[in-house]
Amino acid sequence: MMLRRAFFLWLLPAAFLLPLWLLIGWGVFNAGGWALLWVLVLAVPGVFVWQLVLVALIRGRGTVRGDRAVSWWDVLGVGTWQALVVSLGFFRPEWWGLAFFLAVVAGVAVFWLSLWQLWREARPSGAVLRARGGIAFLPPTEQPAAEKTTPDVIVVSEQQEPPGPGRF
């Protein structure tokens, strides 16, 4: 549970640190001018926006907000995608193209995985509801409605008499 909670806390800072790593990696590993163009125009904005989309999809789930921990699927999927993005920052021409292709595929797969988990949690199930602190309870079942009968209605009407002497 500690790893899943740490990953939960890492998601938002990763949106800023991963693009920064790509920029730093370009400078440290002397990638060249065309790589700088790729980093500034495509990689930094793309990784930033994609990570924010993933954060919104993951943190949008009730179980993630309640437990303040992501699922193991999130750890596996987002962790793989982030590791591939980090590997892109090394700018090694021998395997950079393969790493780029795998990063794109992993990013799309994590997006659909997050949508699937959000959809699965959002549909009505009615089985067990979770309260804050991990306490689960069964919601009360609806009692069958008693046979409805029309109630007796009594109508009382008043007659108004004109006011006379001694009447108010």
Side-chain angles (χ1 to χ4, degrees), residues 55-79:
V55 168
L57 288 173
I58 292 170
R59 287 189 174 202
R61 299 195 317 258
T63 56
V64 172
R65 285 191 317 267
D67 296 340
R68 296 190 51 82
V70 298
S71 71
W72 285 111
W73 283 111
D74 294 327
V75 172
L76 177 68
V78 176

Side-chain angles (χ1 to χ4, degrees), residues 16-99:
F16 299 95
L17 294 176
L18 287 175
L20 182 63
W21 161 248
L22 291 174
L23 193 60
I24 291 171
W26 170 83
V28 170
F29 295 104
N30 298 324
W34 288 110
L36 177 63
L37 183 65
W38 174 82
V39 167
L40 292 177
V41 174
L42 293 175
V44 168
V47 170
F48 177 73
V49 168
W50 201 252
Q51 181 68 25
L52 287 180
V53 166
L54 293 177
V55 168
L57 288 173
I58 292 170
R59 287 189 174 202
R61 299 195 317 258
T63 56
V64 172
R65 285 191 317 267
D67 296 340
R68 296 190 51 82
V70 298
S71 71
W72 285 111
W73 283 111
D74 294 327
V75 172
L76 177 68
V78 176
T80 301
W81 178 69
Q82 289 178 351
L84 288 167
V85 169
V86 167
S87 73
L88 290 175
F90 291 107
F91 292 98
R92 300 291 303 178
E94 298 86 25
W95 45 264
W96 192 89
L98 177 64

Side-chain angles (χ1 to χ4, degrees), residues 77-162:
V78 176
T80 301
W81 178 69
Q82 289 178 351
L84 288 167
V85 169
V86 167
S87 73
L88 290 175
F90 291 107
F91 292 98
R92 300 291 303 178
E94 298 86 25
W95 45 264
W96 192 89
L98 177 64
F100 176 73
F101 174 75
L102 292 175
V104 170
V105 169
V108 171
V110 169
F111 175 77
W112 286 109
L113 175 68
S114 298
L115 272 180
W116 172 71
Q117 289 183 83
L118 181 64
W119 181 262
R120 194 182 71 211
E121 286 188 23
R123 70 176 173 203
S125 63
V128 175
L129 299 177
R130 298 192 187 282
R132 192 155 181 83
I135 300 169
F137 65 92
L138 295 174
T141 58
E142 292 184 25
Q143 300 295 330
E147 187 177 310
K148 291 191 175 189
T149 59
T150 56
D152 295 333
V153 177
I154 301 172
V155 178
V156 177
S157 61
E158 289 186 34
Q159 288 183 340
Q160 285 201 357
E161 296 181 22

